[in-house]
């Protein structure tokens, strides 16, 4: 009985301490007004209240996403780099760069 308890405790600790695995997601690059500019791909790390995007050894972290009412407003944040980060759904993430008039929307499988 003691062995089973020890094994279960170790399995629970291992499961709780694992780091999130990123998902490779295709993305569409457009202007802020919706004009298509091309496609891209990045690894998205979804942390429920935040997410990060990694591409070519560069990582942008959204920071804590806020929404006063998740049924009416998209959870969003401003990154330290000045990008506007949005969680559109459980599978869609967006970064908007107002300085370059670009927006990338990733849709994860």
């Amino acid at each position: 009985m003691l062995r089973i308890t020890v094994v279960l405790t170790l399995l629970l600790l291992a499961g709780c301490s694992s780091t999130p695995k990123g998902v490779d997601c295709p993305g569409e690059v457009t202007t802020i007004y919706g004009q298509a500019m091309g496609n891209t791909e990045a690894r998205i790390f979804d942390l429920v209240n935040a997410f990060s995007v990694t591409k070519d050894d560069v990582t942008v972290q959204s920071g804590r996403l806020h929404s006063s009412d998740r049924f009416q407003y998209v959870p969003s944040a401003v990154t330290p780099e000045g990008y506007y980060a949005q969680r559109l759904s459980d599978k869609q993430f967006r970064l908007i760069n107002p300085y370059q008039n670009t927006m990338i929307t990733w849709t994860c499988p």
Side-chain angles (χ1 to χ4, degrees):
M1 184 67 176
L2 182 61
R3 283 186 189 177
I4 293 173
T5 304
V6 169
V7 169
L8 287 175
T9 303
L10 289 175
L11 286 174
L12 286 172
L13 288 174
C16 293
S17 66
S18 64
T19 58
K21 305 242 186 303
V23 177
D24 291 327
C25 305
E28 181 183 5
V29 183
T30 64
T31 65
I32 292 176
Y33 301 104
Q35 182 180 2
M37 296 175 64
N39 296 311
T40 188
E41 187 169 315
R43 181 162 287 221
I44 306 289
F45 292 88
D46 184 9
L47 305 172
V48 181
N49 288 326
F51 67 91
S52 67
V53 177
T54 301
K55 180 174 173 45
D56 300 330
D57 297 328
V58 175
T59 300
V60 176
Q61 297 193 13
S62 69
R64 186 166 173 78
L65 300 170
H66 301 281
S67 176
S68 58
D69 181 352
R70 289 183 183 261
F71 295 107
Q72 286 188 319
Y73 306 107
V74 174
S76 57
V78 176
T79 70
E81 297 85 3
Y83 305 140
Y84 188 59
Q86 297 177 313
R87 170 195 239 88
L88 303 175
S89 72
D90 291 342
K91 305 276 185 193
Q92 279 194 316
F93 305 88
R94 177 178 288 157
L95 283 180
I96 299 171
N97 183 345
Y99 308 110
Q100 294 182 346
N101 186 30
T102 56
M103 167 170 77
I104 305 174
T105 304
W106 290 276
T107 304
C108 299

